[in-house]
Amino acid sequence: MKQPVLSRSLRLTLAMLLGLAVALTAASFSAFAQECRGIRESVLRLHILANSDSQEDQALKLAVRDRILELDSVLFQEASNLREAEEAAARELERIRSAAQEELRRQGCGYPVRAELTNMYFTTRTYDTLTLPAGRYDAVRITIGEGAGRNWWCVLYPPLCLPACGGQALSEVLTESQIEILESAEEYEFRFAALELYQALKERLENAAEE
């Protein structure tokens, strides 16, 4: 059966509509990506690596987490932006490491502990009701022993590790549109996935260039 032939003007109209749709989608994603970049450049994350995935080592990781969160309520009280939070973290890094080491000893464990302020890649992660976009974040990383086990993470600044501070802390650091992104993962599911794919590819290419 012969297929109908579209007129030149109709083909042109369809092409223009398709181009407009692509442009609008690209613009929407670009705006989303820019907001996500603002989120990444405004928060300081905590990343704790367990020695292994054994039940005992995972329990030790959580004990270290609880000890560090006791410090979190004190260390970043005066920070009003990411730079000040990082300065506080760098200043107190040995104190953080010592607290983690002391907790391990209290638990009868002799694993060494490393603490560092670093910039590292995270996939899209959900913490409580908030979803953080994939990409590189500044983070305080605690490595217990071999650091070969499952990790635990949260946000040190603003202090989202402490649920009571969450809502107020967010509004003091992020814009309304950025908070909406964090709190509306289902609405932005496709864009979160697209951004993670882009960031993962970017990370792979940058790592390859350094080798």
Side-chain angles (χ1 to χ4, degrees):
M1 183 177 178
K2 187 176 180 180
Q3 297 296 322
V5 178
L6 298 178
S7 67
R8 183 174 181 278
S9 61
L10 182 56
R11 290 199 305 270
L12 181 60
T13 300
L14 289 175
M16 291 175 63
L17 289 174
L18 179 60
L20 179 60
V22 171
L24 289 174
T25 300
S28 176
F29 179 76
S30 177
F32 175 80
Q34 189 64 28
E35 294 285 14
C36 289
R37 179 181 178 181
I39 292 170
R40 293 194 299 270
E41 293 178 350
S42 300
V43 305
L44 177 65
R45 295 174 69 154
L46 171 65
H47 188 242
I48 304 177
L49 283 165
N51 178 68
S52 76
D53 282 338
S54 72
Q55 185 175 350
E56 295 79 6
D57 284 348
Q58 288 296 310
L60 287 171
K61 175 191 72 178
L62 297 180
V64 168
R65 172 201 67 184
D66 292 343
R67 183 62 179 273
I68 291 175
L69 293 188
E70 290 178 7
L71 295 177
D72 179 26
S73 62
V74 176
L75 294 183
F76 304 106
Q77 280 184 346
E78 304 301 323
S80 59
N81 54 51
L82 178 60
R83 180 183 60 80
E84 292 179 2
E86 290 179 336
E87 289 175 353
R91 193 166 54 243
E92 302 291 348
L93 203 58
E94 178 56 28
R95 182 180 176 188
I96 294 171
R97 190 204 66 79
S98 296
Q101 190 75 73
E102 183 180 314
E103 181 59 31
L104 288 178
R105 292 197 187 102
R106 196 177 74 82
Q107 298 286 337
C109 173
Y111 291 145
V113 176
R114 299 190 302 278
E116 57 186 321
L117 184 60
T118 186
N119 181 270
M120 59 183 291
Y121 178 78
F122 287 86
T123 58
T124 304
R125 302 284 186 90
T126 298
Y127 178 76
D128 197 14
T129 61
L130 304 176
T131 299
L132 271 72
R136 283 193 160 269
Y137 291 78
D138 290 340
V140 174
R141 180 164 59 188
I142 308 297
T143 305
I144 303 172
E146 296 297 322
R150 293 190 306 275
N151 66 78
W152 184 89
W153 72 273
C154 70
V155 177
L156 283 175
Y157 178 82
L160 303 185
C161 298
L162 304 173
C165 302
Q168 180 182 4
L170 274 178
S171 64
E172 293 174 353
V173 175
L174 303 178
T175 66
E176 289 185 9
S177 57
Q178 289 169 345
I179 294 173
E180 180 185 350
I181 288 172
L182 295 182
E183 295 179 341
S184 308
E186 291 185 2
E187 180 181 344
Y188 294 100
E189 183 176 2
F190 175 77
R191 276 175 279 188
F192 269 119
L195 180 67
E196 179 163 357
L197 182 63
Y198 168 76
Q199 291 291 341
L201 179 59
K202 179 182 176 183
E203 186 76 7
R204 184 178 301 177
L205 292 173
E206 290 177 351
N207 289 339
E210 293 175 358
E211 293 177 357

